[in-house]
Amino acid sequence: MTQPALHDLGVAQLATELRERRVSAVEAAQHFLARAQAHQHLGAYVALNEEATLAQARAADARIAAGTAGALEGVPLAHKDIFVTRDFATTAGSKMLAGYQSPFDATVVARLAQAGAVTLGKLNCDEFAMGSANENSAVAPVGFEAPAPVRNPWDTSRIPGGSSGGSAVAVAARLAPAVTGTDTGGSIRQPASFCGITGIKPTYGRASRYGMVAFASSLDQAGPMARSAEDCALLLSAMCGPDPDRDSTSLDMPAEDFSRSLNDSLDGLRIGIPAEFFGEGLAPDVRAAVDSALKEYEKLGARLVPISLPRTELSIPVYYIIAPAEASSNLSRFDGVKFGHRAKDYGDLLDMYKKTRAEGFGDEVKRRIMIGAYVLSHGYYDAYYLQAQKIRRMIADDFQNAFKDCDLIAGPVAPTVAWKLGEHGSDPLADYLADIFTLPGSLAGLPGMSVPAGFGEGGMPVGLQLIGNYFSEARLLNAAHRLQQATDFHLRSPL
Ligand code: GLN
């Protein structure tokens, strides 16, 4: 039997190979760096630093030799360029942060490094994580002179999804065994679905937001993206845990081993099927793949229970008020004084602010700042922001109501497969509407996953979304893992 190539190994297998010294961390890092170079046209990476990567890999090899290896010792990973990193530039996809070098690592990055992971580089994303297609990045990918779109490896004329588009592409094209992403309104789940990989957004507060460039602080959450649920569980176990001194919203719950129940039986599991996720807007090819995954679950012993999430449609206006409101406040720090871009020619201080922000931010970011400032302004606050907060609470209550009748909720991640680059043109609403199935769980702060469920139009991947109640990550990963033992969609490769 021929040995599988290094890039075809999952994180769990690769960690074993490394620990048993059949491959060195340096060899593994070099292998993936070479692949990243060879597939530059996909636009996934925005920063590499070979010297730093190899230094980390040598340190990992030394720990393996000394018998002090961590759970992910020597495993190469890459990070969404929204996490600050000491050894790699951080841009958050924005001109505003061009050339920015952080003096510290984000907590999530540091925790993965503590477990022994080696950083390959940073991955493209929508500017400040605002987008659903990764078409809003203002940064030139590695090998490009100018900003270029991230391409879906299943069909390079299509978008990879967003905002963690580079992250999803890196995993799908085997340019990294696993990566980090962030999800504010779907940015882990939707690109995972569009690229045929697995991703999980944990309960809000499970992972520290320290060192994650802030978009909408009450929604932003870090999570892993990998080929399988098993690999996601390994990464998530290393990423989560309290960070009281640095993120006051991180939960006071000890780190957990999310792999502990991967193989548990699904016998008797009640899976809620929200009627509102299967209505008019859902494309037939997506519906077919989702339905076949649900049939698999029935074969595995689960029971499908009809439920209702009656305010699903309202999650779009609610999210697109709350997220921009928080963004307008978070992004006020980019004023040309403290860090990042500063306009060259300006008159007084106010003129410097104006020119700096006009030059540094892209269109989508400006749109959100303006909407956010408007809905928070005197006279409109009650009509928009406060109303949105009230409905957000009702959306969260709807989930609690539903969880009286079911253990997990399942449905599509997005209404369609990945669309063509430029297809939504300059119509931001078309992108916003495509977020309909991921936004409700985000607004409620619930954990959610995307699991490969089949293929649709144009041979494009379709993901199944699983949403759990608070702190049910281990249960979600268990359900995903069992499906992946019964199917092989997550193992298929576009290359
Ligand atoms: N598409 C959503 C937005 O543009 C979600 C983005 C995200 O989760 N970061 O806001």
Side-chain angles (χ1 to χ4, degrees):
M1 218 174 82
T2 53
Q3 289 288 95
L6 267 189
H7 54 266
D8 285 326
L9 298 177
V11 173
Q13 298 160 297
L14 189 54
T16 307
E17 293 298 296
L18 286 158
R19 209 172 316 113
E20 294 179 1
R21 299 173 80 177
R22 285 192 286 272
V23 60
S24 74
V26 167
E27 284 163 351
Q30 279 168 336
H31 181 84
F32 282 100
L33 288 176
R35 278 189 72 79
Q37 297 288 357
H39 294 90
Q40 282 184 357
H41 65 284
L42 295 173
Y45 280 91
V46 288
L48 295 170
N49 177 353
E50 187 171 345
E51 215 173 292
T53 300
L54 294 180
Q56 292 180 16
R58 281 192 293 273
D61 278 330
R63 285 188 295 268
I64 293 168
T68 56
L72 296 171
E73 201 65 61
V75 174
L77 300 180
H79 298 293
K80 181 177 184 179
D81 200 22
I82 207 93
F83 294 95
V84 300
T85 41
R86 225 179 359 207
D87 291 338
F88 302 81
T90 300
T91 64
S94 184
K95 269 203 286 203
M96 193 55 113
L97 282 172
Y100 176 69
Q101 194 70 43
S102 168
F104 66 96
D105 282 331
T107 296
V108 158
V109 171
R111 278 178 189 265
L112 287 165
Q114 249 162 36
V118 169
T119 303
L120 291 167
K122 304 293 287 294
L123 298 163
N124 213 339
C125 59
D126 282 307
E127 185 172 4
F128 293 108
M130 298 175 188
S132 309
N134 217 133
E135 293 181 305
N136 298 335
S137 173
V139 173
V142 171
F144 288 79
E145 299 284 322
V150 184
R151 293 175 185 273
N152 193 313
W154 293 92
D155 174 351
T156 53
S157 69
R158 295 186 191 245
I159 56 121
S163 65
S164 313
S167 297
V169 170
V171 174
R174 316 284 198 256
L175 313 181
V179 301
T180 55
T182 62
D183 193 311
T184 302
S187 280
I188 286 176
R189 290 161 285 164
Q190 186 252 32
S193 173
F194 285 1
C195 290
I197 65 159
T198 309
I200 180 164
K201 164 212 166 317
T203 307
Y204 179 80
R206 271 280 200 194
S208 171
R209 288 184 295 109
Y210 183 67
M212 249 168 72
V213 177
F215 162 15
S217 306
S218 77
L219 294 151
D220 295 345
Q221 195 50 207
M225 302 165 81
R227 270 153 53 201
S228 66
E230 185 186 16
D231 290 353
C232 282
L234 280 174
L235 261 74
L236 192 65
S237 303
M239 290 166 72
C240 291
D243 193 14
D245 299 337
R246 299 195 169 112
D247 174 4
S248 57
T249 63
S250 81
L251 293 164
D252 187 16
M253 293 177 81
E256 260 186 51
D257 171 12
F258 293 108
S259 309
R260 66 182 186 276
S261 50
L262 284 176
N263 289 305
D264 282 7
S265 160
L266 301 186
D267 217 22
L269 182 77
R270 297 167 305 160
I271 301 183
I273 309 297
E276 295 78 4
F277 281 36
F278 291 83
E280 226 178 287
L282 182 62
D285 57 328
V286 173
R287 173 153 203 162
V290 168
D291 281 345
S292 70
L294 295 176
K295 284 213 180 71
E296 282 299 333
Y297 275 119
E298 285 186 301
K299 280 194 228 157
L300 291 166
R303 197 152 50 81
L304 307 184
V305 185
I307 58 159
S308 175
L309 295 171
R311 294 175 184 87
T312 296
E313 250 180 66
L314 288 177
S315 65
I316 298 176
V318 167
Y319 174 89
Y320 281 99
I321 287 171
I322 292 174
E326 294 184 19
S328 73
S329 162
N330 270 327
L331 269 53
S332 64
R333 74 192 66 182
F334 298 106
D335 56 4
V337 177
K338 295 184 277 297
F339 38 57
H341 174 75
R342 178 185 296 180
K344 280 207 178 60
D345 303 308
Y346 53 86
D348 59 5
L349 180 66
L350 196 63
D351 191 45
M352 191 278 280
Y353 288 158
K354 280 191 195 161
K355 287 195 172 125
T356 294
R357 289 167 68 84
E359 291 170 10
F361 291 135
D363 289 350
E364 184 59 27
V365 175
K366 285 178 186 157
R367 184 177 298 123
R368 307 244 183 151
I369 291 173
M370 284 189 279
I371 293 172
Y374 180 82
V375 300
L376 289 175
S377 61
H378 184 73
Y380 294 103
Y381 182 94
D382 289 355
Y384 293 105
Y385 183 72
L386 209 59
Q387 279 303 103
Q389 290 290 17
K390 287 182 186 164
I391 301 169
R392 180 180 189 176
R393 160 55 58 195
M394 291 162 119
I395 290 170
D397 289 346
D398 287 345
F399 276 105
Q400 289 316 308
N401 231 346
F403 282 125
K404 287 180 191 148
D405 299 321
C406 62
D407 307 302
L408 293 180
I409 293 172
V413 175
T416 64
V417 295
W419 52 90
K420 296 269 185 190
L421 284 159
E423 189 178 321
H424 289 179
S426 53
D427 178 12
L429 276 184
D431 275 15
Y432 298 176
L433 292 173
D435 292 341
I436 183 159
F437 303 134
T438 50
L439 298 179
S442 293
L443 288 165
L446 294 167
M449 281 195 80
S450 176
V451 193
F455 295 86
E457 183 231 319
M460 297 305 292
V462 176
L464 173 78
Q465 183 174 206
L466 296 174
I467 304 171
N469 211 341
Y470 303 110
F471 320 125
S472 67
E473 291 83 359
R475 191 61 162 150
L476 284 173
L477 289 158
N478 160 227
H481 180 66
R482 294 305 299 249
L483 183 68
Q484 294 184 334
Q485 287 182 315
T487 59
D488 72 348
F489 302 120
H490 64 296
L491 299 176
R492 310 241 189 123
S493 166
L495 297 178

